[in-house]
Amino acid sequence: MTASLLHCETSEGSVDGQVIHDIFVIGGGINGCGVARDAAGRGYSVFLAEMNDLASGTSSGSTKLIHGGLRYLEYYEFRLVREALKEREVIWKNAPHIVWPMRFVLPVADGIRPPWLVRLGLFLYDYIGGRKLLPATRTLDMRRDPSGKPLKGLFKKAFEYSDCWVNDARLVVLNARDAVKRGAIVRTRTKVVSAERRGGLWHLTMEDMRTGVRSQARARLLVNASGPWIDEVLSSAVGQNDAHNVRLVQGSHIVIRKKFDDPRAYFFQNRDGRIIFAIPYETDYTLIGTTDRDYSGDPAKIHISEEETDYLCHAASEYFAQPVRREDIVWTYSAVRPLYDDGASKAQEATRDYVLRPDAPEGMAPRIDAFGGKITTYRRLAEHALEKIEGFLGKRGDPWTANGPLPGGDFPHDGYHEQVRRLREDYPFVRPVHAARLVRLYGTDARIILGSARSLEDLGRLFGSDLYQAEIDFLVEHEWATTAEDVLWRRTKMGLRLTVEEASILDEYMQGVERIRSAAG
């Protein structure tokens, strides 16, 4: 439909007393929340529905890097790599609490990729993305550099380069919070069971996954950002039979007790041509991953396979002097990447680029399907989606997210340690490790959690480690947390530190809170 037919001067209207939203977004992963935030900030009325918890699928199962994708250069994905490289510093500056620089050590291994080719790739990596803040690549003598100590003695040379680390699940939640701050409606545990075009409007039926209660919504435009479920949404909700647009690729990770003290991460090349990372994780652990293999099952039932576990242990043991064994593993996680099916022969060769496909029959409400993508380029995906949305609904505002801090990120990109110092100065009863964790997760919003407390007792019940009731209540009130799993494995990673008994007690508390909220309506 043309822009003139769909555009209206107000961002929200009504028919027969029912509100009509400009945009309805299906999917509460990074792409859906990114689109909702950008659109709400430009003045569109937005409704987002997620059938589970925010970031409960692909967006919390990444390797947790904001990176250009060095290996994508081998597949000539120059546009994607350049865009991703440019985004590193943008996202870092907008969320310096959950994003920070990390140096990566890439040992030169005989018989895999020649050193000159690796160095050429890193030269492009340094200079095609407009790098200003991150340090450039340098060459290391592994016989002298501390990064060589945890590795086998056969590695004599390495390259060290820059990328960034991100708390992926929190990036999603912060985008959702900012979208709501700017006027969007976000509903979790809400599944879209049907989406029907009736002329210039979408008529949607939603079901509350906890109560079974159904409700309706109307919108001028639909964005399908449902990740691994995108084809299922097209088939079951929209009615597009036999939809097949995405290639599901499983990526699994293992977490072990800290393997090395160096703050740098490792980039390991495997003899099968694939790569894995070994990354400092949550202070006391090392994250190792990822795998790449096609997946044909239910994305909701994804879990690491025995084969993947053996692969990661073996691949890491090829480099580390002390082998990685199954008994070293303290946690695993897996996710399905919904890559656009470009016909690539191998899972690791399928494009990580995103594809935005509009569907707008003449005289009918438009739909935009968002395929693929990676967490690094979510903001640019949203901007490109808004360009298409403007073509249908008319322009409301200019691009703004490049300079828009996410909640809690309103401090300088290099100001994390200063924020921790100030928090401890104002709340001297909070231990250094606790203060550091709060600022890492919440930035300046850590002060909302601590509030007027003058002692640890004022923070309420202690559930384990340094996880207090005040933090739990904040996550329930402001971040859609309804279960212990939401808290322990997505909003925080305190599941690594609480005992089974402590986690069970937290689960009971969350169920009680949910009952009270449900009774209150």
Side-chain angles (χ1 to χ4, degrees):
M1 182 174 287
T2 62
S4 60
L5 287 174
L6 282 174
H7 177 65
C8 78
E9 293 302 316
T10 58
S11 63
E12 191 174 86
S14 64
V15 173
D16 299 328
Q18 184 175 13
V19 171
I20 299 174
H21 303 279
D22 291 322
I23 303 165
F24 192 103
V25 180
I26 302 177
I30 190 59
N31 290 337
C33 291
V35 170
R37 178 194 183 221
D38 194 336
R42 299 193 197 202
Y44 295 101
S45 62
V46 179
F47 193 119
L48 182 147
E50 161 58 44
M51 67 177 178
N52 296 309
D53 182 30
L54 297 174
S56 57
T58 305
S59 295
S60 61
S62 76
T63 312
K64 310 187 191 310
L65 300 178
I66 298 293
H67 67 137
L70 181 60
R71 68 190 177 100
Y72 304 150
L73 291 173
E74 290 187 311
Y75 304 112
Y76 309 107
E77 298 257 23
F78 296 113
R79 191 213 67 79
L80 172 63
V81 173
R82 184 172 185 273
E83 183 174 79
L85 288 170
K86 293 175 70 175
E87 282 298 289
R88 294 178 304 177
E89 295 185 3
V90 173
I91 300 175
W92 174 23
K93 286 189 288 186
N94 286 342
H97 46 331
I98 62 167
V99 178
W100 61 92
M102 185 172 282
R103 296 288 277 175
F104 288 77
V105 176
L106 197 169
V108 175
D110 294 334
I112 300 181
R113 294 172 180 86
W116 67 264
L117 181 62
V118 176
R119 188 64 187 90
L120 175 61
L122 287 169
F123 176 83
L124 293 172
Y125 210 72
D126 276 345
Y127 292 104
I128 66 173
R131 176 184 54 84
K132 296 179 181 178
L133 301 174
L134 295 169
T137 299
R138 67 184 186 119
T139 302
L140 303 179
D141 182 344
M142 297 298 275
R143 294 165 297 188
R144 295 185 175 87
D145 192 86
S147 65
K149 291 182 179 179
L151 305 184
K152 293 178 178 178
L154 54 91
F155 302 105
K156 304 297 188 293
K157 180 180 180 181
F159 299 111
E160 180 185 302
Y161 69 95
S162 293
D163 265 324
C164 289
W165 169 265
V166 64
N167 187 322
D168 52 3
R170 291 212 56 74
L171 184 67
V172 176
V173 170
L174 295 183
N175 271 270
R177 282 182 55 194
D178 205 39
V180 170
K181 176 184 175 181
R182 299 172 189 277
I185 297 171
V186 172
R187 287 191 188 171
T188 62
R189 269 82 184 191
T190 302
K191 182 177 182 179
V192 174
V193 294
S194 71
E196 180 184 351
R197 282 182 170 115
R198 297 180 191 172
L201 293 177
W202 283 97
H203 289 244
L204 302 111
T205 299
M206 301 169 286
E207 181 176 323
D208 189 310
M209 301 301 287
R210 296 159 294 188
T211 65
V213 173
R214 292 196 169 189
S215 58
Q216 282 71 44
R218 300 187 199 181
R220 297 179 176 88
L221 182 145
L222 178 66
V223 175
N224 183 8
S226 48
W229 291 270
I230 192 166
D231 282 341
E232 180 183 329
V233 167
L234 290 175
S235 298
S236 63
V238 178
Q240 187 180 102
N241 295 328
D242 299 321
H244 180 76
N245 302 280
V246 295
R247 180 175 186 169
L248 301 182
V249 174
Q250 179 173 359
S252 297
H253 299 76
I254 60 175
V255 176
I256 63 174
R257 294 288 177 185
K258 186 163 64 172
K259 196 71 175 174
F260 51 89
D261 292 322
D262 200 291
R264 292 170 288 184
Y266 292 95
F267 179 121
F268 294 152
Q269 304 177 81
N270 303 333
R271 298 200 176 277
D272 60 3
R274 294 152 67 180
I275 63 100
I276 64 167
F277 294 98
I279 304 171
Y281 186 64
E282 294 295 317
T283 307
D284 299 319
Y285 304 92
T286 298
L287 172 66
I288 298 173
T290 182
T291 58
D292 272 306
R293 69 173 196 168
D294 287 311
Y295 183 79
S296 58
D298 182 350
K301 298 179 180 179
I302 188 77
H303 64 275
I304 192 169
S305 68
E306 296 293 315
E307 177 188 357
E308 288 177 302
T309 301
D310 289 339
Y311 177 83
L312 292 174
C313 287
H314 175 75
S317 297
E318 287 287 299
Y319 283 82
F320 285 120
Q322 295 294 322
V324 175
R325 302 164 300 176
R326 279 177 169 266
E327 51 265 39
D328 298 329
I329 299 172
V330 298
W331 182 48
T332 68
Y333 66 89
S334 297
V336 176
R337 303 185 192 95
L339 307 182
Y340 188 71
D341 193 353
D342 61 355
S345 59
K346 296 180 181 179
Q348 62 266 29
E349 294 175 2
T351 182
R352 266 56 177 176
D353 210 345
Y354 53 83
V355 174
L356 297 171
R357 191 177 68 187
D359 181 83
E362 185 66 30
M364 305 295 284
R367 184 187 77 242
I368 298 173
D369 299 318
F371 301 102
K374 55 202 294 283
I375 200 162
T376 304
T377 53
Y378 88 90
R379 196 193 63 82
R380 291 291 290 141
L381 180 151
E383 286 189 335
H384 286 137
L386 264 294
E387 291 175 4
K388 296 184 182 298
I389 289 170
E390 287 175 348
F392 294 117
L393 303 184
K395 184 173 180 177
R396 300 282 172 81
D398 294 323
W400 63 278
T401 57
N403 297 302
L406 286 163
D410 49 340
F411 60 92
H413 69 274
D414 57 355
Y416 166 75
H417 294 290
E418 176 63 14
Q419 289 297 316
V420 174
R421 186 195 67 78
R422 291 182 181 180
L423 194 72
R424 290 214 65 231
E425 187 177 82
D426 294 342
Y427 299 91
F429 59 88
V430 176
R431 292 184 298 115
V433 172
H434 188 190
R437 185 180 71 81
L438 290 176
V439 175
R440 266 293 175 229
L441 293 179
Y442 309 105
T444 55
D445 284 350
R447 294 174 179 275
I448 299 176
I449 294 171
L450 297 176
S452 59
R454 290 294 174 262
S455 69
L456 290 175
E457 288 71 24
D458 292 338
L459 299 180
R461 185 175 183 178
L462 176 63
F463 289 94
S465 187
D466 54 19
L467 185 63
Y468 287 87
Q469 182 180 340
E471 184 176 351
I472 303 300
D473 292 346
F474 173 86
L475 295 175
V476 170
E477 181 68 24
H478 298 282
E479 296 197 353
W480 298 274
T482 63
T483 71
E485 182 182 359
D486 298 347
V487 172
L488 296 179
W489 296 110
R490 284 184 285 276
R491 306 303 184 277
T492 76
K493 289 296 182 289
M494 295 300 285
L496 290 166
R497 304 189 185 281
L498 267 63
T499 66
V500 173
E501 182 180 0
E502 289 169 337
S504 178
I505 292 171
L506 173 61
D507 188 51
E508 291 176 6
Y509 176 79
M510 297 294 292
Q511 290 181 36
V513 171
E514 189 65 12
R515 284 194 295 269
I516 293 171
R517 289 169 64 90
S518 297

